[in-house]
Amino acid sequence: MTHDLTADIVADILSLVNHETSSHDLPGLAAGLDHLRDLATARLGPPDVRRRHRGDGHGDTATLTYTGTRPGHVALIGHYDTVWPTGTLTDWAPPAAGGRTKLGGPGIFDMKTGLAQGIWALKLTRDAGGPVPTVTFVFNGDEEIGSPSSRPIIERTAAEADATLVLEPSADGAVKTARKGTGTFTVTATGIESHAGLAPEAGASAVHALAEFVTAASAVAAPDAGTTVNVGLINGGTGANVVAGRATATIDVRVRTQLEKDRVDAELKAIKTSDPRVRIDIAHGWNRPPMTLNAASARLLDLARAAAQDHGHDLRDAAVGGASDANFVAALGLPVLCGLGAVGGGAHARDEFIYPDTVQPRTTLLAGLLTRLATWTRSPLLDLRSGVAGRPHPGALPPASH
């Protein structure tokens, strides 16, 4: 039986937290990725294939491949960027004392614990002396801003692997098998400026038209179908005594299905405002497609549940409103599970925390799943359904710096 490694794993988690990696701090991201790669090397040795893919204004993405002893190939995906501005660590308050022990820190739950657990899970698998799959880690530094540069690397790596495991935090211990698709819509109203007192009739208010639009847009939401519409930002006008010539709104949309995505697009496009002199332009910014439990992922979930049963635990699954890089993989029809990382709470909040007593059991679960995946291969038919033209060697990724 594996001795208690909680202290060692937690030490690695805290070392990652102490390297602040805001999505918008390129020097901090670079230093954080260097530390993460060094940590993987310290625990696992040098990877057989290592690449660093430039982020083009975002955090770089590193891919590290460790060759296994059996034919199975697993992609372990995790982002090292966080939503927290650099400097947050200096005034972070520890969790309140009392009750179950917690550990807090910027990014500890979302998702630096998952990164450390992924590295240690492969170490435990190898140390056990049983079958080991080939594992490709993908560490990306732009997930919190939509993965604009890392998405093609994630999709390519997932297409080459038999299964993809995303090390995002769990839903109170449950893995995540369904996530909403996300979109950020920018709505611009362009009217006609005029003096609000001397010639109000000559003006066409962009603000008034935008107010009509956002009211109608809010009605597009369908809570029973899981569709939410949130108008989070509004800007417009130049002065209280000027009929506004321009106004903008930023709208967050979440959907569970492609059907709802198409409906939202159509209904927003069909909205009319009362003053025909005001032009409404909508930038449809869908970022992540909806993630659903496809047939391939259902097989993978069964395998994860069997691994949990090996340790006397039941593994639940959950559907959540947030999106992750797993959405991209699921949209290809490939097997993927998300939420295999931390148990805790407070993502993107000042009370972000993990339960340290779950660190070793969660890591052991992941190690058990890796062992089972050493001899697990996906159906070749998936390559046809997802449009993936075969699976090259794990090292066959786009050119990048080493």
Side-chain angles (χ1 to χ4, degrees):
M1 182 170 178
T2 304
H3 68 280
D4 190 357
L5 296 169
T6 297
D8 293 331
I9 304 173
V10 166
D12 286 352
I13 293 168
L14 294 179
S15 77
L16 292 171
V17 172
N18 286 332
H19 279 78
E20 292 187 275
T21 49
S22 164
S23 302
H24 304 287
D25 178 3
L26 291 181
L29 288 166
L33 181 55
D34 287 343
H35 176 69
L36 178 56
R37 293 201 309 181
D38 290 345
L39 183 61
T41 301
R43 297 304 184 193
L44 300 170
D48 297 293
V49 181
R50 183 181 78 171
R51 287 189 168 91
R52 187 168 184 141
H53 308 265
R54 298 304 179 191
D56 296 327
H58 307 293
D60 291 349
T61 298
T63 53
L64 285 66
T65 297
Y66 290 87
T67 304
T69 62
R70 297 293 178 87
H73 181 199
V74 182
L76 290 182
I77 312 292
H79 69 87
Y80 63 93
D81 65 318
T82 77
V83 299
W84 300 103
T86 301
T88 300
L89 188 63
T90 59
D91 62 351
W92 190 276
R100 189 175 179 184
T101 301
K102 299 178 180 179
L103 287 177
I108 194 168
F109 180 63
D110 185 14
M111 58 165 288
K112 294 189 173 182
T113 292
L115 297 174
Q117 289 177 166
I119 292 169
W120 273 90
L122 180 55
K123 176 176 170 54
L124 293 181
T125 305
R126 296 165 84 183
D127 290 350
V132 180
T134 292
V135 171
T136 298
F137 290 96
V138 180
F139 300 135
N140 59 319
D142 60 353
E143 191 275 345
E144 295 291 3
I145 54 174
S147 304
S149 66
S150 62
R151 177 177 180 175
I153 301 164
I154 290 166
E155 292 177 332
R156 180 70 173 270
T157 304
E160 295 169 356
D162 294 300
T164 298
L165 307 177
V166 181
L167 303 171
E168 288 276 1
S170 69
D172 194 26
V175 293
K176 300 170 181 177
T177 53
R179 287 179 171 275
K180 291 185 179 181
T182 61
T184 301
F185 288 52
T186 301
V187 181
T188 303
T190 305
I192 302 170
E193 290 184 333
S194 68
H195 195 290
L198 297 177
E201 69 285 347
S205 175
V207 166
H208 292 182
L210 187 64
E212 292 180 36
F213 183 94
V214 299
T215 299
S218 296
V220 173
D224 290 344
T227 300
T228 60
V229 177
N230 179 66
V231 183
L233 294 170
I234 289 184
N235 292 286
T238 56
N241 61 346
V242 179
V243 175
R246 182 180 173 86
T248 62
T250 305
I251 304 176
D252 177 278
V253 181
R254 311 262 168 158
V255 297
R256 285 183 187 152
T257 66
Q258 180 67 36
L259 188 63
E260 276 297 283
K261 175 181 176 292
D262 295 340
R263 181 188 68 83
V264 168
D265 276 328
E267 293 198 15
L268 290 181
K269 186 177 180 180
I271 293 174
K272 304 294 183 184
T273 55
S274 58
D275 192 333
R277 296 175 297 169
V278 179
R279 187 179 77 249
I280 301 291
D281 297 302
I282 309 172
H284 296 242
W286 291 104
N287 172 243
R288 288 187 171 94
M291 173 186 175
T292 56
L293 184 63
N294 57 41
S297 297
R299 284 184 63 216
L300 186 55
L301 176 60
D302 288 342
L303 207 67
R305 285 177 167 156
Q309 285 293 330
D310 288 344
H311 300 282
H313 303 297
D314 292 326
L315 183 64
R316 297 175 293 108
D317 69 301
V320 297
S324 81
D325 290 327
N327 290 57
F328 299 136
V329 181
L332 296 175
L334 299 172
V336 60
L337 289 181
C338 192
L340 286 153
V343 180
H348 299 190
R350 276 281 180 168
D351 61 350
E352 183 174 357
F353 72 94
I354 64 165
Y355 292 114
D357 62 358
T358 66
V359 166
Q360 169 120 355
R362 199 73 178 175
T363 306
T364 303
L365 165 64
L366 185 55
L369 181 53
L370 289 179
T371 299
R372 287 175 175 268
L373 287 169
T375 55
W376 190 84
T377 57
R378 74 179 197 228
S379 168
L381 293 177
L382 287 174
D383 291 324
L384 300 177
R385 288 200 297 269
S386 62
V388 177
R391 289 178 287 160
H393 183 273
L397 287 166
S401 61
H402 290 261

